[in-house]
Amino acid sequence: VRPDTPAIQALLSAYRSATDSTAKPFTMAGATYAREFEAAAAFGPVLPGSKLPDWAGGMHGPDEAASIDDLKKAFKAYVLGLYELEQLTPEQYEPTD
């Protein structure tokens, strides 16, 4: 999904609001179920520079963890993202190539 689509812009707005960030959307080599859909995107709390608990490991490891503050930001981003997506019309969800 192109980053200029209404749905991606809605999610980006929610993420920026929840994290006080100026982040830009990006793609990564990791595999997600999103690739199985015609028009879908993975959306999650990548928070660069976050401080992990001392016992915690990295993303997708056996001891993966996040701080309480990061979990609160992620929750806020998800709620705002769902709200922003709900404001879109069905036509704004149509895939464009």
Side-chain angles (χ1 to χ4, degrees):
V1 177
R2 290 191 339 260
D4 62 343
T5 61
I8 298 300
Q9 288 300 304
L11 292 173
L12 184 58
S13 173
Y15 179 87
R16 288 176 175 168
S17 179
T19 63
D20 294 322
S21 167
T22 58
K24 295 181 179 171
F26 64 92
T27 59
M28 54 192 246
T32 71
Y33 291 111
R35 73 170 68 178
E36 297 297 322
F37 296 94
E38 183 177 344
F43 175 69
V46 174
L47 302 168
S50 293
K51 174 81 171 107
L52 294 176
D54 291 337
W55 54 267
M59 190 180 302
H60 304 307
D63 53 356
E64 177 180 8
S67 71
I68 296 296
D69 287 340
D70 285 354
L71 291 174
K72 288 178 183 178
K73 287 178 187 175
F75 180 76
K76 184 176 179 181
Y78 294 142
V79 170
L80 291 172
L82 290 171
Y83 175 80
E84 293 288 336
L85 290 173
E86 189 176 75
Q87 305 312 302
L88 300 178
T89 64
E91 294 79 22
Q92 290 174 299
Y93 282 104
E94 292 299 315
T96 56
D97 282 341

